Structure formats: structure tokens, C-alpha cells
Amino acid sequence: MEAVVAILGLLFVLFVVAGVFAAVKAVQAAKRGVDRTVAQARRSVEDTGLRARQLAQPGVVGELAQLRLSLRTSMRATQDVLRSGSPDDASLGEAAGLFERLSAHGHELDADLKRLEREPDRATITVRLPDLRARTERITHSAESLRWAARDRARKFAEDDLASLSDQIDVESGALRHWTRAEDTATTDPLREPVRGRGATAGQPQGAGGGPAANGPARTGAAGSGDRGPASEEPPALTTRDPRTQPSYPWQKAPRTEGTAP
């Protein structure tokens, strides 16, 4: 009895621990979702503010906002491409590591640009602006190189997979149309032609002329003449043709008959 109670207590403890663990995981997942939503909302607000300053405040302030906006847009696009392709392609792991190093420089540049936005001395901003513009172009160019290389690699893999799939579909389509090859073989093979009649000989039609129906009376006559004995085996007498029954052709002269003067 004590063993049963101990087992039940152990099961209860395990259920409680599993419930607490599941609750902690759910809370962490919800917190990550909330943090992600807050970060996206913050980025959207910052991007909207940068676009507004770019259009509303011309000069160095507007140019600083343009540099920050182009930097953030390029880095975010490259990050999305690498994150979406890394689970399917392990070769993008090294590219993702390089992008992390590039992101450190990008965050540093964005912080510098953000500090200069609150700088009251416009002359200082004007002096430092060419260097900031060159750094932004270098970082965005590197990010674009990684992004387009990852996209070209994904497109190449998609084209290869499509070509392989097309070849497999062609093979399967040919296998599904196997009856057409069987019909062609049946039409070209003379040994597979159906036999029209057992009693008919090759090249003779049935019924009229040389068929079994025409040979029927001859066989009957031959059977009837067999009762006469040896006389039926004598060859028939040779008789001359009657000129009057011969066919006449337009280029022949009329046949001479008996009793007519020449």
C-alpha cells in the first residue's frame, strides 16, 4: 500500500513539474511575441519619423534622415533574406556570420547618425557628413552583395529542382501513355493481324468468285461425279470456241461466218 501511495505521489509531482514547465515556456513564448511586436512597432514609428524629417527638413538634417533610412532598409532586407534561407541552405551560415559582423558596424553608424540629429552645430554636421555618407554607402553595398548573392543562389537551386522535376514528369508521362506504343506495335506487326476466315486463302475474297461459297457447288459436283466410276477420271474433250461468242473489239474486223460470201 505504501508503494502505491509513493507511486501516486511521484506521478503527481511529475505532473506538477510538467505543468509548471509548460506554463513557463508559454509565458516566454508570449513575451517573445510581445517583444517582437513592440520592436516592429518601434521600427515602424522610427521609419515614419525619418521619412517625415527627410521631406519636411531639407539640408543636413534631411540628409541625415535619408542616410539612416537607407541604412536601416538595406540591413533589414538582407537580414530577412538570410534568415529565410538559412534553414534550407547550410552554406548561408558563413554569410549570416559575416552579416552579424556587418550589423555591428551598421548599428554603430546608425547611433552616430542619430546623435548628429540632435547636434545643434550644423557646421560640425556638414564637416562630418561626407565621411558618414561614404560609410553608409560601403555598408549598404556590402549588405546588398550578400542579399543578391543569397537570392541568386536560391533561384539557381529552384531552377535545378524545376529541371529535375520536369524530367521526372516527362518520364512518368511516357509511362502513362504506354498503350500508344502497344497500338503502334500491333498495327506494324503483320503477325498480330487478325485472321479473317479459316477457309479463305490469301488474296481471295469470301463468298463471290474464289471463296468457300463459290467452291461449294464445284465440290458437290465433284462428289456427284464420283459415283459414275472410272469415266469421271477421263480428261474433258477439247472444243473450239465459237467465233460468235468471242468478244469483239473496235479495232478488229467482224468475224467471218459460214454461208457468207467473202
Side-chain angles (χ1 to χ4, degrees), residues 41-124:
R42 185 183 296 112
R43 284 196 300 266
S44 300
V45 172
E46 291 180 356
D47 292 344
T48 304
L50 290 174
R51 291 189 181 93
R53 284 196 296 271
Q54 179 184 357
L55 298 176
Q57 298 180 1
V60 291
V61 177
E63 189 168 358
L64 288 175
Q66 180 181 359
L67 291 177
R68 287 191 65 192
L69 187 61
S70 63
L71 176 64
R72 293 163 66 91
T73 303
S74 179
M75 297 296 289
R76 190 177 301 126
T78 305
Q79 184 181 16
D80 293 340
V81 171
L82 292 178
R83 283 184 177 178
S84 62
S86 297
D88 299 331
D89 190 1
S91 300
L92 294 179
E94 185 176 357
L98 294 175
F99 178 75
E100 293 297 332
R101 296 172 57 186
L102 184 65
S103 297
H105 293 278
H107 289 305
E108 182 181 357
L109 177 60
D110 185 72
D112 293 340
L113 292 173
K114 189 175 183 179
R115 283 193 298 267
L116 287 176
E117 287 180 350
R118 298 187 297 267
E119 178 64 37
D121 188 3
R122 297 291 185 265
T124 304

Side-chain angles (χ1 to χ4, degrees), residues 131-228:
D131 180 57
L132 296 173
R133 188 184 302 110
R135 288 174 60 189
T136 304
E137 291 178 354
R138 291 178 61 184
I139 293 176
T140 54
H141 177 71
S142 299
E144 289 175 357
S145 298
L146 287 176
R147 182 171 68 252
W148 285 110
R151 288 177 177 175
D152 293 340
R153 183 179 180 86
R155 185 174 63 253
K156 176 61 177 174
F157 285 164
E159 291 177 355
D160 294 342
D161 184 66
L162 179 60
S164 177
L165 179 61
S166 299
D167 295 338
Q168 294 178 5
I169 290 175
D170 292 340
V171 173
E172 184 64 21
S173 300
L176 292 175
R177 294 192 181 95
H178 66 280
W179 71 85
T180 57
R181 294 195 297 269
E183 290 177 357
D184 295 340
T185 305
T187 54
T188 55
D189 190 359
L191 297 178
R192 298 178 62 88
E193 292 183 357
V195 180
R196 297 182 178 179
R198 296 181 178 178
T201 59
Q204 291 184 354
Q206 296 182 3
N215 296 332
R219 293 177 181 176
T220 304
S225 62
D227 298 336
R228 297 179 182 179

